Amino acid sequence: MTNEIINSNPFILFLIKAKQNTYAAEGQLSQPSRPTSKDLAFQEGSFKYIDTYLGDIDFIGEEAVWYESKPVWGMNYVGRMLVEKIPDGFFGFLKKALINVPQEMPYRGPEEMVDGDFSYTCCVEGAINWYKGVETIVYKGQKIYQMNFHGGAIRTI
């Protein structure tokens, strides 16, 4: 049942909408689930999405989706800046990439995106029910950011 749900067009469209209305859109933080965590939630119909993370420059987090109050999908991630001085415009560029999450790859941003001196790439192996990937940002030819992620279907007894 879980794989049928997360492979469905309604799930994919919900996941994209959730991502476009939370971190990428500077969505409103909800009540923290853990000390100092930042949590963002989005709900529509039978689906609920929560993204919770710790840190800003170096960070770790998790996204999860519930369908009819049962967990069906999740993604863990860990990322970090690879430079001491963060270039002006970095966070705006990252959020611009994330708001352009593609339907055929609804994990993070598009496979490639360039805007001025910034370049974003996202490489994924697998499918929505079991995958891993990495996103990177290059600024003026230097890799300045990397995030690794993995996730898939959640099945319960």
Side-chain angles (χ1 to χ4, degrees):
M1 176 75 163
T2 297
N3 283 331
E4 291 173 16
I5 293 166
I6 67 171
N7 283 303
S8 72
N9 200 46
F11 171 81
I12 300 295
L13 294 176
F14 168 79
L15 183 59
I16 290 169
K17 191 171 185 181
K19 289 172 176 282
Q20 291 173 333
N21 283 280
T22 51
Y23 180 79
E26 299 185 28
Q28 186 173 351
L29 293 173
S30 55
Q31 183 67 32
S33 58
R34 296 173 281 181
T36 72
S37 71
K38 296 175 186 80
D39 292 33
L40 298 122
F42 182 82
Q43 189 163 354
E44 188 172 80
S46 298
F47 290 107
K48 181 175 186 173
Y49 166 94
I50 298 174
D51 178 9
T52 181
Y53 65 97
L54 300 164
D56 293 303
I57 307 304
D58 296 336
F59 58 92
I60 191 165
E62 175 183 76
E63 296 176 22
V65 175
W66 289 257
Y67 178 73
E68 296 180 349
S69 300
K70 294 178 184 167
V72 294
W73 180 87
M75 179 174 81
N76 298 109
Y77 56 87
V78 61
R80 65 185 179 144
M81 294 302 300
L82 303 173
V83 293
E84 287 298 315
K85 183 173 180 350
I86 300 170
D88 289 340
F90 168 80
F91 288 104
F93 173 74
L94 173 60
K95 289 178 180 187
K96 185 176 181 181
L98 297 180
I99 212 154
N100 285 296
V101 58
Q103 188 169 344
E104 64 279 1
M105 200 173 80
Y107 313 104
R108 294 291 291 172
E111 283 188 76
E112 294 180 353
M113 187 178 108
V114 176
D115 188 4
D117 292 327
F118 291 99
S119 173
Y120 172 95
T121 58
C122 184
C123 301
V124 179
E125 293 178 23
I128 194 77
N129 63 330
W130 183 260
Y131 62 91
K132 65 179 180 176
V134 62
E135 77 178 5
T136 59
I137 293 180
V138 172
Y139 177 71
K140 294 185 177 180
Q142 178 186 6
K143 186 160 94 169
I144 63 167
Y145 162 88
Q146 180 174 325
M147 188 186 90
N148 297 317
F149 58 93
H150 64 265
I154 298 171
R155 295 188 300 161
T156 57
I157 296 174

